[in-house]
Amino acid sequence: MHIIKFLNYISRRRFIIARNSICRRVCMLPENKIFTPDKNADGYVTLTIDAVEALRLCDLEELNQEQAAGMMGVSRGTLQRILYRAHKATAEALIAGKGIHLTGGNYSVNQYACKHIKCHRCNFADDKKNKQLITKIKSNLEDTIMKIAITTEGNQIFQHFGSCPLFTLIEIENNKIINRKLIDASGSGHSALAGFLQSNEIDLLICGGIGAGARNALAEANIALISGSKGDIDAAVTAYLAGTLKDKPEGMCNHHHEGADHQCGAGENHCH
């Protein structure tokens, strides 16, 4: 009888722990999800997205565990357990010749720039600067010519900035379109697109999905960004001039994982 009661207690306890599991906050979704060895992979190990974030903060950004735990919204003990499992899985892949699959985990994507610690590779590290650039452009719009580049596929906004071959370049003066043309970027690589736009004196880019590295490169080139846009190009320009087209950084990686227009790969703003 006592054994049955004990087993029932353990079962209820496990349910409560699972139900109350803390959602880990991440600021970067990996653009690549599968890594394989030179030879055929002898199976795969799994690294959850929150584990990748813990590795990024502690091993790449070199934050101490207290800082990293604060960034992820967990206790230091929880962070240590996440890191232990991540290091063990990575070591198993390297030693045993296994592939690595980045997927799953209990996490939600941070929608705001980090307030206390500068993360060089954070999706939202340059979000504040981007907002400043957009504000500056709007304040200087009168009596100046503004150049907008839009990722283009037909008359639609192309959804993958890194592989975009064509941009629609629109010149605006006194809140009116004065010139429009297509510019070919097919000779530019993924990492060179920010420089390509800068060489064309672009003030603002309107696009669909965009990765963290490209977002930061645009900020460094002083090019404002409105990402997460869809649909007809003319409608997007009209919305921008009306002040209703907004940047959606939470959707910047939607072309790298399942679903669309969501933050954490499940179609809604919730944890995995």
Side-chain angles (χ1 to χ4, degrees):
M1 189 67 179
H2 293 295
I3 294 177
I4 294 175
K5 289 183 178 180
F6 177 73
L7 291 176
N8 288 336
Y9 169 78
I10 293 297
S11 177
R12 290 194 301 270
R13 183 64 178 170
R14 285 179 178 174
F15 174 77
I16 293 172
I17 291 174
R19 183 184 61 188
N20 295 332
S21 179
I22 296 175
C23 199
R24 288 79 184 257
R25 184 168 59 243
V26 304
C27 292
M28 184 156 190
L29 294 172
E31 296 189 22
N32 300 294
K33 298 295 183 66
I34 299 289
F35 295 86
T36 59
D38 292 336
K39 299 179 181 179
N40 293 332
D42 186 19
Y44 284 84
V45 299
T46 297
L47 277 181
T48 59
I49 302 302
D50 49 325
V52 175
E53 179 73 350
L55 290 174
R56 181 182 76 85
L57 292 174
C58 293
D59 297 342
L60 195 58
E61 296 293 341
E62 298 183 341
L63 302 183
N64 62 46
Q65 290 188 1
E66 184 176 354
Q67 291 172 322
M71 296 282 286
M72 294 184 66
V74 299
S75 68
R76 185 172 177 179
T78 297
L79 178 75
Q80 289 175 339
R81 288 190 291 273
I82 295 172
L83 282 173
Y84 173 78
R85 289 193 293 267
H87 287 151
K88 183 177 180 180
T90 303
E92 181 182 352
L94 294 176
I95 302 303
K98 295 184 177 181
I100 301 175
H101 187 197
L102 311 184
T103 186
N106 181 25
Y107 70 93
S108 63
V109 180
N110 185 18
Q111 299 184 55
Y112 307 99
C114 308
K115 296 180 179 180
H116 304 294
I117 301 172
K118 178 69 172 180
C119 294
H120 301 292
R121 301 164 188 84
C122 176
N123 283 355
F124 304 94
D126 287 301
D127 186 52
K128 183 177 180 181
K129 182 176 182 180
N130 186 49
K131 291 178 180 178
Q132 292 172 341
L133 287 171
I134 292 175
T135 301
K136 182 179 179 180
I137 287 174
K138 288 182 177 179
S139 64
N140 295 331
L141 195 57
E142 294 184 0
D143 300 322
T144 60
I145 295 177
M146 173 189 178
K147 290 186 177 182
I148 300 176
I150 306 172
T151 52
T152 300
E153 184 177 37
N155 64 341
Q156 300 291 302
I157 297 174
F158 188 65
Q159 289 301 298
H160 310 307
F161 170 75
S163 57
C164 182
L166 292 174
F167 291 85
T168 298
L169 193 158
I170 295 177
E171 295 184 358
I172 295 175
E173 186 176 17
N174 294 324
N175 223 38
K176 295 181 179 180
I177 298 174
I178 61 172
N179 191 27
R180 176 183 181 137
K181 64 179 180 180
L182 282 176
I183 54 176
D184 187 353
S186 56
S188 301
H190 183 284
S191 60
L193 283 176
F196 170 80
L197 295 177
Q198 187 179 35
S199 68
N200 282 275
E201 300 180 336
I202 300 302
D203 299 299
L204 169 70
L205 170 69
I206 298 175
C207 68
I210 184 169
R215 187 179 183 88
N216 291 344
L218 290 170
E220 292 175 2
N222 290 316
I223 298 173
L225 172 65
I226 294 181
S227 63
S229 299
K230 286 186 174 183
D232 184 77
I233 288 174
D234 292 325
V237 174
T238 299
Y240 172 74
L241 294 177
T244 58
L245 190 67
K246 305 297 182 181
D247 183 38
K248 300 175 182 177
E250 68 273 11
M252 70 178 66
C253 288
N254 61 2
H255 58 288
H256 295 300
H257 47 81
E258 301 82 12
D261 284 332
H262 54 83
Q263 293 182 330
C264 56
E268 300 177 6
N269 298 339
H270 63 271
C271 304
H272 292 238

